[in-house]
Every structure is written in structure tokens, then in C-alpha cells.
């Protein structure tokens, strides 16, 4: 007699798992993720000079114990902007503590001049602060970088700050490491060196009346002129700057105004020149300057492929990535 077979019920624990439904992120979730990413990027962009000293921990310090940074690059502060910042701090609190360093029995500000001034406007006794251990040069560089980063510092204020640092610290190493300015922009900022002492004093009183593009154009024009009397140059610079300050002329007419004061009625043009580059009496390259370009022609048989690649890499390293 054959045994009856009975159907065996499947074990629920052995059943294959049901596929899970993946929920697509809604608009709110996407916005939240995007905001978190942007906040993270914002924090990364903030001056973080204390990272070198280890973990950062803010502490409240008395406002009256904090002295200003002697290397503060700003030459003037907008009272209205300070009032607006004070109102924001009053409503939302201080979002980013200031940075200070110990100076004897007091503290010296590194970054956060506007935030400190806003606290004084509010009559606050204490301010949240990071205390760091850095030298004078790094403190000066950090103060400059913070203001450059906020994009409300004039080109002349940047120039004046860099000149002070170069004079006091005799090195541009920290400047290059700390200040995120393109080489092309820095070169134009250096053009303010052509201004005479009298002209520089006028610019210090009105640091926002001229940008580095105008300074660079003036430097280029002066390089094409024969040597001129220093007193005549100073008079021409100061006259044109006073006219610019009083809105008698616009910034795009400044170079012409200076040249006119110097008796130059026509803007000089660069002459096309050609020169050979020799090694042991053999011409290995030549340079040709025209109105619009400088052409450097290399004799291929005089250079190895590695040397040619090195020259090309160098050209790329010093070339501006964009016009500013």
C-alpha cells in the first residue's frame, strides 16, 4: 500500500526576501543635502589658521582686552556695514568666532575686525574667540587673506598690505602660501609701485578710487617713455588723482590725464624689436616683439625633447587662466 505524500508548507524563514522599495529623495531632501554641501564648502573657505595648532575651541574673551591687528589691510570701515553686521549678530548670534593671539597680558586680533567692531556697537562685554599661537608674519598674512576672501578689499589696500609685509618680513614666501591671488592679478597689483610718494598718500586716503587694471596700464605707458623728471611725474600723478577723486575725470581717462600733464600728446606704442638668444656663440632662439605679441622661436635641434617640455610646462605655470 503506497504511502500518501503530504504537501510540505514552506518555511517562512527560508523564503527569499521581498525586494525593498527604494524611496526616491523628495525635493525637500535634495534641498537639505544641497544646503549641507554648501555649508560645508563655506566652512572650508573660511580662514582656519588655528588648524596648525590642533583642535580649535572657542572661548569668551573680554572685548576691552583685545587690541587691533597692526597689519589690518583695510584703510577704512563702512559704518553702515558695521551697523548691519551688529544687527545680524544681535538677532542670530555670532556665527564665526574671531581669532586672536596672546600679546603679553592682552590679546591681539588676527581676524575678525568687523565682528569685533560690531560687538562694540552692541555694547557687548564678551566675544567668542579662537586663541592661536602664530608669528607676526602669519598673523599679517591671515588678516590679508580674510579680507581678500570676502572680496571687499580694494586692489590698492592689497598692495599696501603686501608692501608692508615685504618691508617688515623681507620675504614673500608666506604671502604666496597664504594669499590666494592669481599671478596675473598680483602682477597688476604690483603696478602701484610706479606711483610717487605724494600720489601714494592720496591713494591711502582714497584707496577705492582706482583698480589694478588702471595701475597696470599706467605702468605700461610709462615704460615706453624716456626718463622723466621725478618732480614732474609726482605733479602729474597728484593732479590726475585729485581730478579722479573729485570726479572731474573717470578712471578710464586717468592714464591719458597723466600723460597729458607730462606733455605727451600721443600714447606711445611699443616698437617691434627682435633679439637673438645665443649660447657659446650659437643662436639657439630669437625673440620678436610686436604690438600685440611676443614670439619666442626655438631651434629644435639645440634642445632635447625634455627641455622643450620643461619650457612648455613653465609657460603654462606662469600663464593666467583667465582675464581679471
Amino acid at each position: 500500500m503506497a504511502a500518501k505524500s503530504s504537501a510540505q508548507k514552506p518555511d517562512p524563514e527560508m523564503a527569499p526576501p521581498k525586494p525593498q522599495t527604494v524611496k526616491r529623495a523628495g525635493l525637500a531632501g535634495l534641498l537639505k543635502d544641497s544646503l549641507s554641501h554648501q555649508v560645508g564648502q563655506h566652512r572650508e573657505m573660511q580662514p582656519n589658521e588655528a588648524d596648525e595648532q590642533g583642535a580649535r575651541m572657542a572661548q569668551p574673551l573680554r572685548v576691552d582686552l583685545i587690541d587691533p591687528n597692526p597689519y589690518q589691510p583695510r584703510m577704512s570701515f563702512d559704518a553702515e556695514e558695521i551697523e548691519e553686521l551688529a544687527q545680524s549678530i544681535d538677532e542670530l548670534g555670532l556665527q564665526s568666532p574671531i581669532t586672536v593671539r596672546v600679546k603679553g597680558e592682552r590679546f591681539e586680533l588676527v581676524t575678525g575686525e568687523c565682528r569685533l567692531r560690531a560687538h562694540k556697537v552692541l555694547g557687548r562685554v564678551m566675544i567668542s574667540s579662537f586663541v592661536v599661537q602664530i608669528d607676526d608674519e602669519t598673523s599679517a598674512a591671515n588678516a590679508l587673506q580674510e579680507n581678500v576672501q570676502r572680496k571687499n578689499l580694494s586692489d590698492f589696500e592689497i598692495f599696501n598690505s603686501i608692501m608692508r609685509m615685504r618691508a617688515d618680513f623681507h620675504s614673500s614666501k608666506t604671502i604666496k602660501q597664504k594669499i590666494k591671488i592669481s599671478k596675473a592679478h598680483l602682477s597688476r597689483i604690483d603696478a602701484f609701485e610706479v606711483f610717487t610718494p605724494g600720489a601714494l598718500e592720496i591713494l591711502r586716503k582714497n584707496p577705492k578710487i582706482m583698480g589694478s587694471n588702471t595701475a597696470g596700464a599706467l605702468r605700461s605707458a610709462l615704460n615706453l617713455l624716456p626718463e622723466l623728471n621725478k618732480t614732474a611725474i609726482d605733479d602729474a600723478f597728484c593732479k590726475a588723482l585729485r581730478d579722479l577723486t573729485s570726479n572731474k575725470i573717470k578712471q578710464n581717462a586717468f592714464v591719458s590725464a597723466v600723460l597729458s600733464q607730462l606733455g605727451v600728446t600721443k600714447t606711445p606704442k611699443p616698437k617691434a624689436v627682435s633679439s637673438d638668444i645665443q649660447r657659446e656663440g650659437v643662436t639657439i632662439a630669437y625673440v620678436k616683439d610686436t604690438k600685440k605679441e611676443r614670439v619666442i622661436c626655438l631651434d629644435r635641434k639645440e634642445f632635447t625633447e625634455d627641455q622643450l617640455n620643461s619650457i612648455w610646462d613653465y609657460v603654462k605655470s606662469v600663464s593666467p587662466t583667465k582675464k581679471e
Side-chain angles (χ1 to χ4, degrees), residues 152-164:
N152 58 355
L153 199 65
S154 71
D155 288 337
F156 180 74
E157 286 172 315
I158 296 173
F159 166 78
N160 191 70
S161 182
I162 289 175
M163 288 300 100
R164 288 184 60 200

Side-chain angles (χ1 to χ4, degrees), residues 29-296:
L30 291 174
L31 289 174
K32 181 179 179 181
D33 291 342
S34 175
L35 181 60
S36 298
H37 176 68
Q38 292 179 45
V39 169
Q41 283 188 323
H42 175 72
R43 287 173 177 168
E44 289 176 1
M45 291 174 62
Q46 298 309 305
N48 205 14
E49 54 279 284
D51 281 351
E52 301 170 2
Q53 311 302 326
R56 286 160 46 102
M57 184 167 295
Q59 57 182 291
L61 297 178
R62 280 173 48 189
V63 169
D64 63 351
L65 289 179
I66 302 172
D67 297 320
N69 189 330
Y71 287 93
Q72 167 60 241
R74 287 200 196 195
M75 296 178 177
S76 62
F77 289 84
D78 190 310
E80 187 175 339
E81 288 183 2
I82 300 296
E83 287 285 350
E84 290 177 357
L85 178 59
Q87 182 178 351
S88 174
I89 291 174
D90 192 37
E91 294 175 357
L92 304 174
L94 182 62
Q95 302 298 304
S96 179
I98 65 171
T99 306
V100 302
R101 59 183 185 146
V102 177
K103 274 287 187 177
E105 297 181 356
R106 296 179 61 81
F107 298 93
E108 182 182 279
L109 188 68
V110 177
T111 61
E113 176 80 21
C114 291
R115 282 163 279 169
L116 182 61
R117 287 178 179 239
H119 272 63
K120 291 179 180 179
V121 168
L122 292 170
R124 299 281 177 89
V125 177
M126 311 294 285
I127 184 169
S128 182
S129 313
F130 293 125
V131 181
V132 298
Q133 296 179 357
I134 53 177
D135 58 21
D136 291 347
E137 186 175 2
T138 303
S139 176
N142 286 353
L144 177 55
Q145 174 57 29
E146 182 195 41
N147 285 278
V148 168
Q149 196 166 278
R150 297 181 188 278
K151 301 184 184 301
N152 58 355
L153 199 65
S154 71
D155 288 337
F156 180 74
E157 286 172 315
I158 296 173
F159 166 78
N160 191 70
S161 182
I162 289 175
M163 288 300 100
R164 288 184 60 200
M165 292 173 64
R166 286 176 178 168
D168 290 359
F169 307 122
H170 308 290
S171 171
S172 60
K173 182 179 179 181
T174 301
I175 300 174
K176 293 177 180 178
Q177 289 177 344
K178 296 282 186 181
I179 310 306
K180 296 178 176 62
I181 302 177
S182 71
K183 292 182 179 179
H185 191 186
L186 189 58
S187 175
R188 291 196 300 274
I189 286 174
D190 283 340
F192 282 104
E193 289 179 328
V194 303
F195 284 88
T196 59
L200 289 175
E201 281 304 312
I202 295 176
L203 283 170
R204 289 189 181 99
K205 295 176 182 177
N206 306 275
K208 300 185 186 298
I209 62 171
M210 179 181 295
S212 60
N213 284 334
T214 302
L218 180 63
R219 178 177 60 183
S220 298
L222 292 177
N223 286 340
L224 300 173
L225 297 177
E227 187 172 350
L228 298 170
N229 181 277
K230 292 183 179 180
T231 302
I233 293 177
D234 185 59
D235 290 343
F237 282 3
C238 292
K239 172 65 167 59
L241 282 172
R242 284 193 291 267
D243 288 346
L244 183 61
T245 304
S246 61
N247 293 319
K248 289 182 179 180
I249 62 172
K250 301 296 184 182
Q251 191 172 168
N252 58 9
F254 179 80
V255 176
S256 297
V258 170
L259 295 177
S260 177
Q261 289 291 319
L262 293 172
V264 180
T265 57
K266 188 176 180 181
T267 305
K269 303 292 183 182
K271 297 179 180 179
V273 297
S274 178
S275 59
D276 291 342
I277 301 174
Q278 296 188 340
R279 182 177 61 196
E280 298 178 356
V282 178
T283 299
I284 61 173
Y286 70 90
V287 180
K288 183 178 180 181
D289 281 343
T290 65
K291 179 180 178 180
K292 293 185 177 180
E293 61 186 5
R294 168 169 293 181
V295 181
I296 302 176

